[in-house]
Amino acid sequence: MLAQLLLREAGLSSRREPLALTDAEVNAFLAQNVQVRDAPIWPVRVRIEAGGVEVGGPTTLERLTRQLIGSGPAGLLPRSVGGRPVWVAARGRIEVAPGGRTEFQAESGTIGLQTVPVALLWRAVGGRPPALVWRMPRVVDRVELEPGRLVIRTRRARPRGPTG
C-alpha cells in the first residue's frame, strides 16, 4: 500500500483509482510496521465504520489507576483486580491536511463499557499518543471511511521541476 502511494507521488504511476484497505489489512499493517515501546495499550486494534474509526486495545486496571490517581493508590489494588484487562478505545475521524500531515481526531472515548470525555481517556493512557499524527505521501487527497474499509483517494502528482 505505502509503495503504491510513493510511486504515485513520484509520478511513476498514473493509476488514479482509490486504494481500499479492510480492517484486517490495516491491523496487519500496524502489527508488522509499527513498534511501540512500553505502550499503555497494545496490541492496538482498528475498526472502521462509516464516518468513523475506532482505535482501541487492552490495558490493565492497575495501569489506568496509576495514570489517573497515582502509583500509591494503584499499589493498593490486589493483583487479581489490578491485572484485569480493560478495553480502552477512542472513536473519531482521519483528517488529511495539505502537505500530507494526517491526524486521527478523537471525538469520543470509552474505558471498559463507560463512555468518557476524550481528555480523560488521554489522561488515563498517559497522554495523547504521538503515533496518532503521521505523514502521508503528498499525493493523498483524503481518507474516506466506509463500513469495514478505509479508502485512500489520491490526486495526480505535480510534475517536479528540473533540479540542478
Coordinates of all heavy atoms in Angstrom, one line a residue, residues 58-99:
P58 N -6.3 -3.4 24.7 CA -6.3 -3.8 26.1 C -5.3 -3.1 26.9 O -4.2 -2.8 26.5 CB -6.1 -5.3 26.1 CG -5.2 -5.5 24.9 CD -5.7 -4.5 23.9
T59 N -5.6 -2.8 28.2 CA -4.6 -2.4 29.2 C -5.1 -3.0 30.5 O -5.9 -3.9 30.5 CB -4.5 -0.8 29.3 OG1 -3.4 -0.5 30.1 CG2 -5.8 -0.2 29.8
T60 N -4.5 -2.6 31.6 CA -4.9 -3.2 32.9 C -5.5 -2.1 33.8 O -5.2 -1.0 33.6 CB -3.7 -3.9 33.6 OG1 -2.8 -2.8 33.9 CG2 -3.1 -5.0 32.8
L61 N -6.3 -2.6 34.7 CA -6.9 -1.7 35.6 C -5.9 -1.0 36.5 O -6.0 0.2 36.7 CB -7.9 -2.4 36.5 CG -8.8 -1.6 37.5 CD1 -9.6 -0.6 36.7 CD2 -9.7 -2.5 38.3
E62 N -4.8 -1.7 36.8 CA -3.7 -1.0 37.6 C -3.0 0.1 36.8 O -2.8 1.2 37.3 CB -2.6 -2.1 38.0 CG -1.6 -1.5 38.8 CD -0.2 -2.0 38.6 OE1 0.0 -3.0 37.8 OE2 0.8 -1.5 39.1
R63 N -2.8 -0.1 35.5 CA -2.1 0.9 34.7 C -3.0 2.1 34.6 O -2.5 3.3 34.7 CB -1.8 0.3 33.3 CG -1.0 1.3 32.5 CD -0.4 0.6 31.3 NE 0.8 1.3 31.0 CZ 1.8 0.7 30.3 NH1 1.8 -0.5 30.0 NH2 2.9 1.5 30.1
L64 N -4.3 1.9 34.4 CA -5.2 3.1 34.3 C -5.3 3.8 35.6 O -5.2 5.0 35.7 CB -6.6 2.6 33.9 CG -6.8 2.1 32.5 CD1 -8.3 1.6 32.4 CD2 -6.6 3.2 31.5
T65 N -5.3 3.1 36.7 CA -5.4 3.7 38.1 C -4.1 4.5 38.3 O -4.2 5.6 38.8 CB -5.6 2.6 39.1 OG1 -6.8 1.9 38.8 CG2 -5.8 3.2 40.5
R66 N -3.0 3.9 38.0 CA -1.7 4.6 38.2 C -1.7 6.0 37.4 O -1.2 7.0 37.9 CB -0.6 3.7 37.7 CG 0.7 3.9 38.4 CD 1.8 2.9 37.9 NE 1.2 2.0 36.9 CZ 1.9 1.2 36.2 NH1 3.2 1.2 36.3 NH2 1.4 0.4 35.3
Q67 N -2.2 5.9 36.2 CA -2.2 7.2 35.4 C -3.1 8.2 35.9 O -2.9 9.4 35.9 CB -2.5 6.9 33.9 CG -1.4 6.2 33.1 CD -0.2 7.1 33.0 OE1 -0.2 8.3 32.9 NE2 1.0 6.4 33.0
L68 N -4.3 7.7 36.4 CA -5.4 8.7 36.8 C -5.2 9.2 38.2 O -5.4 10.4 38.4 CB -6.7 8.0 36.7 CG -7.2 7.8 35.3 CD1 -8.5 6.9 35.2 CD2 -7.5 9.2 34.6
I69 N -4.8 8.4 39.1 CA -4.7 8.9 40.5 C -3.3 8.6 41.2 O -3.2 8.9 42.4 CB -5.8 8.3 41.4 CG1 -5.8 6.8 41.4 CG2 -7.2 8.8 40.9 CD1 -6.8 6.1 42.3
G70 N -2.4 8.1 40.5 CA -1.0 7.9 41.0 C -0.7 6.5 41.4 O -1.6 5.6 41.6
S71 N 0.6 6.3 41.6 CA 1.1 4.9 41.9 C 0.7 4.4 43.3 O 0.6 3.2 43.5 CB 2.6 4.8 41.6 OG 3.3 5.7 42.3
G72 N 0.6 5.4 44.2 CA 0.3 5.0 45.6 C -1.0 4.3 45.7 O -1.1 3.1 46.1
P73 N -2.1 4.9 45.3 CA -3.4 4.2 45.3 C -3.5 3.0 44.4 O -4.1 2.0 44.8 CB -4.4 5.3 44.8 CG -3.7 6.6 45.1 CD -2.3 6.3 44.9
A74 N -2.8 3.0 43.3 CA -2.8 1.9 42.4 C -2.1 0.7 43.0 O -2.5 -0.4 42.8 CB -2.1 2.2 41.1
G75 N -1.1 1.0 43.9 CA -0.4 -0.1 44.6 C -1.3 -0.8 45.6 O -1.0 -1.9 46.1
L76 N -2.4 -0.2 46.0 CA -3.3 -0.8 47.0 C -4.2 -1.8 46.3 O -4.9 -2.6 47.0 CB -4.1 0.3 47.7 CG -3.3 1.3 48.5 CD1 -4.2 2.4 49.0 CD2 -2.6 0.6 49.6
L77 N -4.3 -1.8 45.0 CA -5.2 -2.8 44.3 C -4.6 -4.2 44.5 O -3.4 -4.4 44.3 CB -5.3 -2.5 42.9 CG -6.1 -1.3 42.4 CD1 -5.9 -1.0 40.9 CD2 -7.5 -1.4 42.8
P78 N -5.4 -5.2 44.8 CA -5.0 -6.6 44.8 C -4.6 -7.0 43.4 O -5.2 -6.5 42.4 CB -6.2 -7.4 45.3 CG -7.1 -6.4 45.8 CD -6.8 -5.1 45.3
R79 N -3.6 -7.8 43.3 CA -3.1 -8.2 41.9 C -4.2 -8.8 41.1 O -4.3 -8.6 39.9 CB -2.0 -9.2 42.0 CG -0.7 -8.6 42.4 CD 0.4 -9.6 42.4 NE 1.6 -9.1 43.1 CZ 2.8 -9.2 42.7 NH1 3.0 -9.9 41.6 NH2 3.8 -8.7 43.3
S80 N -5.1 -9.5 41.7 CA -6.2 -10.1 41.0 C -7.1 -9.1 40.4 O -7.7 -9.3 39.3 CB -7.0 -11.1 41.9 OG -7.6 -10.4 42.9
V81 N -7.2 -7.9 41.0 CA -8.0 -6.8 40.4 C -7.2 -6.0 39.5 O -7.6 -5.7 38.4 CB -8.6 -6.0 41.6 CG1 -9.3 -4.7 41.0 CG2 -9.5 -6.8 42.4
G82 N -6.0 -5.6 39.9 CA -5.1 -4.7 39.1 C -4.7 -5.3 37.8 O -4.5 -4.5 36.8
G83 N -4.6 -6.6 37.7 CA -4.1 -7.2 36.5 C -5.3 -7.5 35.5 O -5.0 -8.0 34.4
R84 N -6.5 -7.2 35.9 CA -7.6 -7.5 35.0 C -7.5 -6.6 33.7 O -7.2 -5.4 33.8 CB -8.9 -7.2 35.7 CG -9.2 -8.2 36.7 CD -10.7 -8.2 37.1 NE -10.9 -9.3 38.0 CZ -11.8 -9.2 39.0 NH1 -12.5 -8.1 39.1 NH2 -11.9 -10.2 39.8
P85 N -7.8 -7.2 32.6 CA -7.8 -6.4 31.3 C -9.0 -5.5 31.2 O -10.1 -5.8 31.7 CB -7.8 -7.5 30.2 CG -8.4 -8.7 30.9 CD -8.0 -8.6 32.3
V86 N -8.7 -4.3 30.7 CA -9.8 -3.3 30.4 C -9.6 -2.8 29.0 O -8.5 -2.5 28.6 CB -9.6 -2.1 31.4 CG1 -10.7 -1.1 31.0 CG2 -9.7 -2.6 32.8
W87 N -10.6 -2.8 28.2 CA -10.6 -2.3 26.8 C -10.7 -0.8 26.8 O -11.6 -0.3 27.4 CB -11.7 -3.0 26.0 CG -11.6 -2.6 24.5 CD1 -12.2 -1.6 23.9 CD2 -10.7 -3.3 23.6 NE1 -11.8 -1.7 22.5 CE2 -10.9 -2.7 22.4 CE3 -9.9 -4.4 23.7 CZ2 -10.2 -3.1 21.2 CZ3 -9.2 -4.8 22.5 CH2 -9.4 -4.2 21.3
V88 N -9.8 -0.1 26.2 CA -9.8 1.3 26.1 C -9.9 1.7 24.6 O -9.1 1.1 23.8 CB -8.5 1.9 26.7 CG1 -8.5 3.4 26.6 CG2 -8.5 1.5 28.2
A89 N -10.7 2.6 24.2 CA -10.9 2.9 22.8 C -11.2 4.4 22.6 O -11.8 5.0 23.5 CB -12.0 2.1 22.2
A90 N -10.8 4.9 21.5 CA -11.2 6.2 21.0 C -11.8 6.1 19.7 O -11.4 5.3 18.8 CB -9.9 7.1 20.9
R91 N -12.9 6.9 19.4 CA -13.5 6.9 18.1 C -13.4 8.3 17.5 O -13.6 9.3 18.2 CB -15.0 6.5 18.4 CG -15.8 6.4 17.1 CD -17.2 5.8 17.3 NE -18.1 6.1 16.2 CZ -18.0 5.5 15.0 NH1 -17.0 4.7 14.8 NH2 -18.8 5.8 14.0
G92 N -13.2 8.3 16.3 CA -13.0 9.6 15.6 C -12.9 9.5 14.1 O -13.3 8.5 13.5
R93 N -12.2 10.5 13.5 CA -12.1 10.5 12.1 C -10.6 10.8 11.7 O -9.8 11.1 12.6 CB -13.0 11.6 11.5 CG -12.6 13.0 11.9 CD -13.7 14.0 11.5 NE -13.2 15.4 11.7 CZ -13.1 16.0 12.9 NH1 -13.4 15.3 14.0 NH2 -12.6 17.2 13.0
I94 N -10.3 10.6 10.5 CA -8.9 10.8 10.0 C -9.0 12.0 9.1 O -9.7 12.1 8.1 CB -8.4 9.6 9.2 CG1 -8.3 8.4 10.2 CG2 -7.1 9.9 8.6 CD1 -8.0 7.1 9.5
E95 N -8.1 13.0 9.4 CA -8.0 14.2 8.6 C -6.7 14.3 7.9 O -5.7 14.1 8.6 CB -8.2 15.5 9.6 CG -9.5 15.6 10.3 CD -10.6 16.0 9.3 OE1 -10.4 16.7 8.3 OE2 -11.8 15.5 9.6
V96 N -6.7 14.6 6.6 CA -5.5 14.8 5.9 C -5.4 16.3 5.5 O -6.3 16.8 4.9 CB -5.5 14.0 4.6 CG1 -4.2 14.2 3.8 CG2 -5.7 12.5 4.9
A97 N -4.3 16.9 6.0 CA -4.1 18.3 5.7 C -3.2 18.5 4.5 O -2.5 17.6 4.1 CB -3.5 19.0 6.9
P98 N -3.2 19.7 3.9 CA -2.3 19.9 2.8 C -0.8 19.6 3.2 O -0.5 19.9 4.3 CB -2.5 21.4 2.4 CG -3.8 21.7 2.9 CD -4.0 20.8 4.1
G99 N -0.1 19.0 2.3 CA 1.3 18.7 2.7 C 1.5 17.3 3.2 O 2.6 16.9 3.5

